[in-house]
Amino acid sequence: RQSPKSDMIGESPAMQEVFRLIERTAASDKPVLILGESGTGKELVSRAIHKSSPLADKPLVVVNCAALPDQLLESELFGHEKGSFTGAVAAKPGLFEIADGGTLFIDEFGEMSGALQAKLLRVLEDGSMRRVGSVAERKVKVRVIAATNRDLEQEVKDKKFREDLYYRINVLGLELPPLRQRIGDIRLLAEEFAGEDWTIDEDVMDRINSYSWPGNVRQLQNAIARAKVLAEDSRIELKNLPSAIVEAARSPTTPRRVFLSVSI
């Protein structure tokens, strides 16, 4: 029910396929692109790939592109020299240098600006990079794992994302299934989030199995955490769930396949 080198839980065919693909991608040193809706566990997958890889004893460095404006993100990724911009009172190595020899996980990859996409492409092509404010070339060897909830293929067609970078990063592509396509896993996850000493009423289980979970596993975890705060006697009842979950019904969906694409 749990991947041996990750914190992910699942018995559904979709998650068993995810676990299998984690092992396959981990054995390679090629870039990985993880696709999936928000809350599906993209960072957990990146950590599992790193932990299962030959680089497991090397650093895993994480950065979220959506959390930083462009100038700060560039400095965070590539480092900067003293005086290169206001506030740069000392030289600082970037995350590529810190991750040298290991893995860099770039979350919200689709949020990266065109200028940064060009710099990232160069690192992926030959390991070359420059700190902000420097003309000196530095060489790094980093395995890049990127994740996004955007449809990058469509954004490439719409000229909103660099085609060359998309194909460079999408050597190994892995798509995570949304929770609504993992119905068999919802009970397992709810029980895990609740804990051993808690009871979940069957009408609660019925309702959470019929909900569409737009926020996926993260939303389910938050809903169970909230229910535990409101519950009495270590028993989660229907009245303890958020009203949106109690009142909503899941719409039928067509399952999407998890895929592994290889293009070298």
Side-chain angles (χ1 to χ4, degrees), residues 130-186:
R130 293 177 183 173
R131 290 182 179 179
V132 176
S134 174
V135 296
E137 290 281 347
R138 298 173 186 268
K139 286 281 190 176
V140 293
K141 186 174 182 181
V142 176
R143 185 185 194 182
V144 174
I145 302 176
T148 183
N149 57 14
R150 292 191 175 210
D151 184 346
L152 288 189
E153 189 171 356
Q154 185 59 50
E155 296 209 357
V156 167
K157 292 177 182 177
D158 295 339
K159 308 298 183 184
K160 295 179 180 178
F161 195 87
R162 291 183 66 115
E163 183 177 22
D164 46 6
L165 177 57
Y166 173 69
Y167 288 116
R168 176 65 68 174
I169 200 75
N170 194 27
V171 177
L172 299 171
L174 196 158
E175 185 169 356
L176 302 186
L179 186 56
R180 60 185 173 275
Q181 293 172 12
R182 300 173 51 193
I183 302 303
D185 293 336
I186 292 177

Side-chain angles (χ1 to χ4, degrees), residues 48-183:
I49 291 171
H50 176 75
K51 194 182 294 186
S52 300
S53 77
L55 305 177
D57 60 340
K58 304 296 184 181
L60 169 65
V61 179
V62 177
V63 62
N64 187 318
C65 293
L68 298 169
D70 279 355
Q71 185 184 34
L72 288 181
L73 180 58
E74 181 179 14
S75 172
E76 192 76 4
L77 286 170
F78 302 105
H80 62 257
E81 298 296 346
K82 180 179 179 180
S84 56
F85 55 85
T86 303
V89 295
K92 177 188 173 185
L95 296 182
F96 270 105
E97 292 177 71
I98 294 171
D100 195 12
T103 304
L104 177 62
F105 174 57
I106 305 177
D107 201 4
E108 304 290 354
F109 176 69
E111 306 297 322
M112 190 175 287
S113 70
L116 286 182
Q117 289 176 34
K119 293 193 73 169
L120 177 59
L121 178 63
R122 187 142 187 262
V123 183
L124 290 173
E125 286 177 339
D126 63 8
S128 298
M129 54 151 286
R130 293 177 183 173
R131 290 182 179 179
V132 176
S134 174
V135 296
E137 290 281 347
R138 298 173 186 268
K139 286 281 190 176
V140 293
K141 186 174 182 181
V142 176
R143 185 185 194 182
V144 174
I145 302 176
T148 183
N149 57 14
R150 292 191 175 210
D151 184 346
L152 288 189
E153 189 171 356
Q154 185 59 50
E155 296 209 357
V156 167
K157 292 177 182 177
D158 295 339
K159 308 298 183 184
K160 295 179 180 178
F161 195 87
R162 291 183 66 115
E163 183 177 22
D164 46 6
L165 177 57
Y166 173 69
Y167 288 116
R168 176 65 68 174
I169 200 75
N170 194 27
V171 177
L172 299 171
L174 196 158
E175 185 169 356
L176 302 186
L179 186 56
R180 60 185 173 275
Q181 293 172 12
R182 300 173 51 193
I183 302 303

Side-chain angles (χ1 to χ4, degrees), residues 13 33 117 133 143 247 263:
L33 177 61
Q117 289 176 34
R143 185 185 194 182
E247 296 167 3
S263 54

Side-chain angles (χ1 to χ4, degrees), residues 189-200:
L189 289 164
E191 291 175 346
E192 177 71 19
F193 296 148
E196 292 182 0
D197 299 326
W198 284 78
T199 300
I200 303 178

